[in-house]
Amino acid sequence: MTAQDIIIRPVLTEKSNDGVAIKRYVFMVDPRADKVQVKAAVESIFDVQVESVNVINVRGKLKRQGRTQGYTSKGKKAYVTLKAESKAIPFFETLS
């Protein structure tokens, strides 16, 4: 897998935006990727230094619409914390 295959998209929520000030970013990643692969992908794509990576598996939520029901898609989320001396990711800085 290449770095672009591992990082699917950034997560843009109020909770994830609270971490931008302390250089903690949230990404949806490939479910087969591990912490080492996520760290290498973020460092190569954004040219930053990663301090730590925490990953969690996200279950699909049960949603109902009338009589029918189903689940939203499941996935894997990665919380990436950058080192203090590392530069910030410009994409997230423009959102606040």
Side-chain angles (χ1 to χ4, degrees):
M1 283 191 286
T2 64
Q4 286 77 14
D5 293 335
I6 293 173
I7 305 294
I8 297 173
R9 63 182 171 87
V11 176
L12 304 174
T13 60
E14 289 183 24
K15 185 177 178 182
S16 67
N17 284 339
D18 290 342
V20 172
I22 57 172
K23 296 184 181 179
R24 180 178 296 137
Y25 305 103
V26 185
F27 298 98
M28 290 302 289
V29 297
D30 190 281
R32 298 167 293 179
D34 59 0
K35 290 182 180 186
V36 176
Q37 291 173 327
V38 171
K39 179 179 178 178
V42 171
E43 286 179 344
S44 68
I45 291 173
F46 299 108
D47 193 31
V48 293
Q49 298 172 344
V50 175
E51 182 178 338
S52 67
V53 176
N54 294 341
V55 294
I56 59 170
N57 288 313
V58 180
R59 287 188 300 155
K61 290 185 178 179
L62 179 65
K63 297 290 184 178
R64 293 182 55 201
Q65 187 164 8
R67 290 186 211 174
T68 61
Q69 63 183 10
Y71 287 91
T72 60
S73 60
K74 61 182 181 176
K76 189 178 239 185
K77 206 184 281 190
Y79 289 84
V80 178
T81 305
L82 302 183
K83 292 183 179 179
E85 63 270 6
S86 177
K87 65 175 184 158
I89 298 176
F91 172 76
F92 290 95
E93 299 299 320
T94 60
L95 297 175
S96 55

